Amino acid sequence: MKRRQIRATVLITMLVLSAILGQAQKYDSALAQLDANYPQEKLYLHFDKSAYNPGETIWFKAYVQVGNNASPFSRNLYSELLNEKGELLQRHITPIIKAGAASSFEIPASITDSLVYVRAYTRWMLNFDSAFLYTKTIPVLSVRNPSNAVAKKTVAITKLNFFPEGGDLVAGVQSRVAFKATDGNGIPVTIAGDITDSKGKKHASFTTQHDGMGIFSITPDLGETYTASFKDPTGKQQQVKLPSIQKTGLVLEINNVDGGLQFTVRRNAAATDVPSVVLVAQSQQQMLYQAKVNLTRSAEVKAVIPGDILPTGITQVTVFSEEGKPLAERIAFVNHQDYYFITDLNIPLKGTDKRARNVIQIDVPDTVECNLSISVTDATINPPHESDQDIYSHLLLASDIRGYVHNPGYYFSSESESVSRNLDLVMMTNGWRRFKWEDILADKWPVIKHPVEDYLTINGSVMGLSKSELTQKELTGIFTLKNGSQQVMVIPVSTEGKFSIPGLIFYDTAKMYYQFNNDQNKILSSKALINIKGDFLQVAPSFKAAAAWTPSWRRQDSSFYRLNRDMARKNIMQEEERRKVQTLAGVTVVARTKSKKEKMDEEYASGFFKGQDGYTFIMEDDPTANSAMSVFQYLQGKVAGLQITGAGQNTQLSWRGGSPSLFLNEMQSQMDVLQNTSMSDVAMIKVFRPPFFGGTGGGGGAIAVYTKKGAAANDNVKGLDFTNVPGYLPEKQFYSPDYSKVEPEHSNEDNRPTLFWNPNVFTDRNNRRIFYDVYNNDISKRLRIVVEGVNAQGKLTRIEKIIE
């Protein structure tokens, strides 16, 4: 339909659609309150491979979104590895940086299951429907019986469900009815049959069109019952009754047309008590459209919701009575093809020979910050699959559907009309149930049991002291990390004896020493009982595997499983050998001598602060260091692009248009704290080029100051009480050899199935092109590269290439 025709249609519709009344604003107000107070987060995980062997490492990167934008809320990712029975095998808590988090799991070498589950969520997500927690089924390529790795065998039982468009079959009103046919595991099956009434008269025929789904039309009669008769895949004749017929009611029909969503509201002649209704369209808790539909003069009203007000994604259209009761509902998918940004992936240098060098070039198109991940794998044992779930299909489709979507990647495989029609079948056979209109219109809001987390929060309580004794009292807390570095904090205590320290990022376990300030003779300390603990979620929510989560894995020939098994077994042995070499490196003559900077980095830095792109300054190697009045005076003129102006309290920092994040011993810090840190106490300073994503900032790089360890530091904590506080689990580092250098471990055989994995690829306006050197293993001839990610505007990207 041309744009002028759409305008004409809207004008004609104005004769039927009255102006939106004031009471209709209650829908807008309810959505606004829902969006402001109860934002809905969703997750997608990019894995390095589609299937794994026992003993292998699962590498993944998580992306957290709210609606179609990067989430600014949660700071912790909880991820779990579960076996086939749903039993917890491993659980990780990972800091979320710029709406992304990276972690890994070790599949037990002794596992005999044919699949494992990876579940991921934020604590905030637990306040809502658990059906929307991220769950991924991953095949385990069993070395005992490779055939166990493929999807479960089709169960003979065939389930057939019917979904009248809008919700109900209404007597005397023509309605489209979608259906879905699945086996006992929820996997689609192909069927065909007829719809007959109680007298055996045929009213319609039906046949599956795509993945067990199809559609037919029927005008039901009041008091009649309808039956679907069909043969299941085994040839057995089956019958299923259609939903019951409503005496009165409405039918809602939605069609994608050029320029928008065309809706048709129909009532039957008996529905004289429904003279007018309100139609509301919303997406991601944002009001898009509302209109009052007058059904007094006509039993059918048709109009178009303009496409330019509809975002890409799922739109929920609901028809309400004048009293606010939902009467009909339908979801539809709108695709403007504007949800992605183009990432260029080029390979200036290709090499598929043994240990050959490949140069991978990633370019993003504009100045918007991007958060990406990249995997390079053996394409023979990790082949592409057009129906694989990807960042598009999950964040735009599967994450907003309460039910199971089979092969979601297919619906973003092309822009063809057939794919669009089949996607609409998914819309008609599923529901969007992140909230219930009935609840929010009645002011029944979700109960918030889990607040938004600000990284690691330490909560404490003081018992044994009166309110007067606690008035204006403070604790001095001294954090000593496992690497020996320390940080001093002043902690206010309320008159109720409560205190809290939010926003901490540290790894392993820290000792927190504490004492009351100005506590002469330790009178308060001797009377008080202080309880301190971290605020991580300790108990995982219950888990129940669904039959429909069977992985969609193509059956491969026996050589595929043998190669997978052999490469995995050899690579696991090589990893064990590398660990032994690393353990013995300090006493092995052939081990490469580490530089001073490498030793200091290994001793002091951890997590996001280890390595990275930037500058490292060792104070004992610089005789001028102690003569500097502060850290910032010392750094002036030493880092290209870092602007440090002013002095003392007037110091200002700028780098590439942003302000660097500041850290003292890897804990977020303020400028005055670093200003007052004596240079004689500083062991090392690391300056990270923008963007740095090891803290809440990132756009302007980071300055990390490390104070000296040893006896001088320990003097600060002698005689103080302390408690151990668990931090984040240090993440396993991905091993990627550089064969341009001569290293002892390079003499080992190389059978890595994943050649390269980097979950932290960040770009900004000054860093839009990135190169990576990736060396082949000893046997791979075809390499598969996958890049996925998001940008600061919430747009998605995915690109895949094969090197051969």
Side-chain angles (χ1 to χ4, degrees):
M1 187 182 296
K2 295 181 179 179
R3 192 170 296 275
R4 281 180 296 179
Q5 292 175 308
I6 294 172
R7 292 197 187 102
T9 301
V10 173
L11 290 174
I12 294 171
T13 303
M14 293 297 291
L15 300 176
V16 184
L17 302 180
S18 62
I20 300 173
L21 299 180
Q23 67 171 19
Q25 298 304 316
K26 62 184 177 184
Y27 305 107
D28 199 354
S29 175
L31 280 178
Q33 187 171 346
L34 184 69
D35 185 59
N37 299 326
Y38 309 97
Q40 302 281 301
E41 290 182 322
K42 52 188 177 180
L43 282 167
Y44 168 71
L45 270 60
H46 173 197
F47 295 88
D48 65 312
K49 295 198 300 176
S50 300
Y52 298 84
N53 294 272
E56 284 195 304
T57 300
I58 299 175
W59 302 93
F60 65 87
K61 168 71 173 288
Y63 296 94
V64 193
Q65 286 208 313
V66 170
N68 294 329
N69 297 290
S71 173
F73 301 111
S74 292
R75 294 288 183 265
N76 291 326
L77 174 77
Y78 294 84
S79 56
E80 300 162 357
L81 180 69
L82 306 107
N83 65 14
E84 199 168 27
K85 296 178 182 179
E87 299 168 335
L88 186 65
L89 300 177
Q90 296 169 40
R91 183 170 184 257
H92 291 173
I93 306 172
T94 312
I96 297 173
I97 309 298
K98 292 293 182 180
S103 191
S104 63
F105 288 118
E106 300 284 342
I107 298 180
S110 59
I111 197 169
T112 58
D113 294 348
S114 61
L115 58 85
V116 292
Y117 300 104
V118 172
R119 180 171 66 164
Y121 51 90
T122 66
R123 196 166 183 174
W124 177 254
M125 292 170 68
L126 298 181
N127 294 306
F128 310 103
D129 192 341
S130 61
F132 292 100
L133 303 185
Y134 180 91
T135 305
K136 173 74 171 178
T137 310
I138 296 178
V140 177
L141 307 178
S142 172
V143 296
R144 295 185 178 182
N145 184 5
S147 63
N148 287 343
V150 299
K152 296 177 181 177
K153 294 181 180 179
T154 300
V155 177
I157 299 172
T158 298
K159 298 180 180 180
L160 179 59
N161 293 304
F162 294 97
F163 305 88
E165 188 170 18
D168 293 316
L169 289 172
V170 180
V173 182
Q174 184 182 22
S175 177
R176 298 190 301 191
V177 180
F179 64 89
K180 181 189 291 185
T182 62
D183 66 17
N185 287 328
I187 304 302
V189 297
T190 299
I191 63 169
D194 297 319
I195 305 295
T196 57
D197 61 19
S198 59
K199 304 177 183 63
K201 179 182 177 182
K202 177 180 173 181
H203 287 259
S205 296
F206 64 94
T207 183
T208 50
Q209 299 171 22
H210 176 75
D211 275 352
M213 299 176 294
I215 191 172
F216 61 88
S217 294
I218 189 172
T219 303
D221 295 325
L222 182 64
E224 188 59 86
T225 58
Y226 296 88
T227 302
S229 301
F230 64 97
K231 287 184 178 181
D232 65 20
T234 66
K236 181 181 178 181
Q237 189 73 27
Q238 294 196 35
Q239 291 186 334
V240 177
K241 291 188 179 299
L242 268 66
S244 59
I245 314 303
Q246 304 300 310
K247 180 180 179 180
T248 62
L250 298 178
V251 170
L252 171 65
E253 181 179 311
I254 299 290
N255 290 289
N256 273 280
V257 296
D258 290 343
L261 288 178
Q262 182 186 71
F263 67 84
T264 304
V265 180
R266 301 188 184 97
R267 66 167 175 84
N268 61 5
T272 56
D273 58 336
V274 188
S276 62
V277 293
V278 177
L279 184 139
V280 171
Q282 71 87 26
S283 178
Q284 306 296 340
Q285 303 180 174
Q286 301 292 316
M287 176 64 73
L288 305 175
Y289 178 88
Q290 56 181 331
K292 189 170 184 181
V293 182
N294 192 333
L295 293 170
T296 304
R297 297 182 179 181
S298 174
E300 177 179 298
V301 174
K302 183 179 296 186
V304 174
I305 304 174
D308 56 5
I309 66 173
L310 303 175
T312 291
I314 294 177
T315 293
Q316 178 192 33
V317 182
T318 309
V319 177
F320 296 91
S321 68
E322 289 187 314
E323 296 74 32
K325 179 183 177 181
L327 302 175
E329 188 171 273
R330 165 86 141 85
I331 58 174
F333 196 90
V334 177
N335 193 346
H336 297 300
Q337 300 295 333
D338 60 351
Y339 56 84
Y340 59 87
F341 64 95
I342 300 296
T343 296
D344 288 329
L345 177 61
N346 296 299
I347 302 93
L349 179 64
K350 297 181 180 181
T352 56
D353 294 334
K354 179 179 178 180
R355 304 193 179 188
R357 176 172 169 244
N358 294 270
V359 176
I360 298 174
Q361 176 184 328
I362 299 175
D363 292 274
V364 293
D366 50 37
T367 61
V368 179
E369 289 183 357
C370 298
N371 185 351
L372 313 173
S373 47
I374 177 174
S375 64
V376 183
T377 58
D378 184 310
T380 303
I381 65 170
N382 185 41
H385 194 315
E386 65 176 8
S387 61
D388 281 345
Q389 185 186 87
D390 58 35
I391 195 168
Y392 299 144
S393 62
H394 186 79
L395 288 178
L396 293 172
L397 175 61
S399 64
D400 283 329
I401 295 291
R402 197 176 189 280
Y404 168 72
V405 181
H406 189 69
N407 292 344
Y410 158 79
Y411 301 104
F412 295 84
S413 61
S414 78
E415 301 177 21
S416 69
E417 183 64 27
S418 62
V419 170
S420 179
R421 285 197 305 269
N422 292 335
L423 178 54
D424 198 52
L425 288 175
V426 177
M427 299 293 99
M428 293 187 70
T429 56
N430 286 276
W432 196 98
R433 286 293 181 272
R434 283 191 175 270
F435 68 88
K436 293 182 179 179
W437 271 113
E438 299 95 319
D439 288 344
I440 68 171
L441 291 176
D443 286 331
K444 295 180 181 178
W445 304 102
V447 177
I448 301 302
K449 298 180 180 179
H450 302 280
V452 171
E453 289 185 305
D454 184 7
Y455 297 113
L456 171 58
T457 297
I458 294 178
N459 293 318
S461 60
V462 180
M463 293 175 286
L465 298 180
S466 66
K467 286 189 176 183
S468 60
E469 288 176 313
L470 288 169
T471 300
Q472 296 183 341
K473 287 298 183 292
E474 294 176 331
L475 287 172
T476 294
I478 303 175
F479 281 88
T480 301
L481 303 183
K482 194 170 182 178
N483 62 11
S485 59
Q486 290 184 348
Q487 183 168 348
V488 180
M489 292 184 176
V490 177
I491 309 165
V493 181
S494 72
T495 54
E496 285 74 32
K498 305 294 183 183
F499 60 89
S500 181
I501 313 170
L504 300 175
I505 299 179
F506 62 85
Y507 295 84
D508 286 318
T509 299
K511 283 184 182 294
M512 179 182 170
Y513 296 86
Y514 53 89
Q515 68 174 3
F516 279 99
N517 290 348
N518 303 317
D519 182 19
Q520 294 183 0
N521 300 319
K522 295 189 176 182
I523 296 175
L524 295 179
S525 298
S526 62
K527 292 175 59 178
L529 178 63
I530 300 178
N531 181 39
I532 299 173
K533 62 180 180 179
D535 195 35
F536 283 148
L537 180 68
Q538 298 300 318
V539 180
S542 60
F543 177 86
K544 185 177 181 181
W549 290 346
T550 302
S552 55
W553 178 256
R554 290 184 301 178
R555 188 178 297 275
Q556 306 286 341
D557 58 33
S558 58
S559 63
F560 168 86
Y561 296 103
R562 283 197 302 270
L563 179 60
N564 234 304
R565 177 191 61 199
D566 293 343
M567 287 186 67
R569 179 175 55 81
K570 293 178 181 179
N571 188 57
I572 292 169
M573 292 174 60
Q574 290 153 16
E575 285 189 351
E576 292 176 351
E577 188 65 29
R578 280 197 297 270
R579 292 192 188 105
K580 292 178 182 178
V581 171
Q582 290 170 356
T583 302
L584 298 173
V587 295
T588 303
V589 176
V590 296
R592 181 176 65 88
T593 302
K594 295 180 181 179
S595 68
K596 183 67 173 291
K597 287 184 179 181
E598 288 175 320
K599 290 179 179 178
M600 292 287 286
D601 194 63
E602 188 175 275
E603 182 181 0
Y604 282 87
S606 64
F608 285 97
F609 297 87
K610 205 173 208 50
Q612 289 255 22
D613 181 27
Y615 302 80
T616 300
F617 301 96
I618 310 300
M619 298 303 101
E620 67 179 65
D621 290 344
D622 188 349
T624 67
N626 287 336
S627 63
M629 298 298 294
S630 69
V631 167
F632 303 119
Q633 186 188 60
Y634 172 78
L635 290 175
Q636 282 181 325
K638 285 185 167 62
V639 178
L642 175 61
Q643 301 296 319
I644 302 177
T645 57
Q649 295 182 348
N650 297 319
T651 300
Q652 293 184 339
L653 308 176
S654 176
W655 203 353
R656 294 183 182 176
S659 181
S661 300
L662 304 177
F663 299 89
L664 180 61
N665 296 321
E666 299 185 355
M667 291 188 181
Q668 199 101 21
S669 187
Q670 301 298 320
M671 183 175 293
D672 59 343
V673 175
L674 294 189
Q675 283 276 24
N676 295 324
T677 300
S678 172
M679 287 299 294
S680 62
D681 293 332
V682 176
M684 178 174 69
I685 301 174
K686 297 191 72 175
V687 182
F688 302 97
R689 294 185 179 91
F692 174 76
F693 295 88
T696 56
I703 298 172
V705 177
Y706 295 84
T707 55
K708 295 176 181 177
K709 302 177 183 180
N714 292 331
D715 288 342
N716 297 327
V717 297
K718 286 181 179 179
L720 299 186
D721 291 328
F722 73 90
T723 187
N724 291 318
V725 182
Y728 295 101
L729 181 70
E731 291 300 328
K732 180 179 178 180
Q733 298 298 308
F734 182 83
Y735 173 71
S736 182
D738 180 358
Y739 286 128
S740 68
K741 301 178 181 178
V742 178
E743 303 286 356
E745 61 265 30
H746 293 172
S747 60
N748 298 327
E749 189 177 1
D750 188 346
N751 288 276
R752 292 168 296 130
T754 298
L755 303 167
F756 187 75
W757 168 252
N758 189 342
N760 299 310
V761 181
F762 302 115
T763 68
D764 63 8
R765 61 183 179 182
N766 297 306
N767 184 37
R768 296 165 50 189
R769 171 171 290 178
I770 299 177
F771 292 94
Y772 291 109
D773 284 351
V774 177
Y775 288 88
N776 193 15
N777 56 29
D778 291 349
I779 60 175
S780 296
K781 296 300 180 184
R782 299 177 69 245
L783 309 183
R784 180 187 178 194
I785 308 173
V786 176
V787 176
E788 291 190 314
V790 301
N791 68 14
Q793 296 176 341
K795 292 186 182 296
L796 314 175
T797 193
R798 187 182 193 279
I799 188 168
E800 178 174 334
K801 283 191 176 183
I802 299 291
I803 299 177
E804 55 186 347

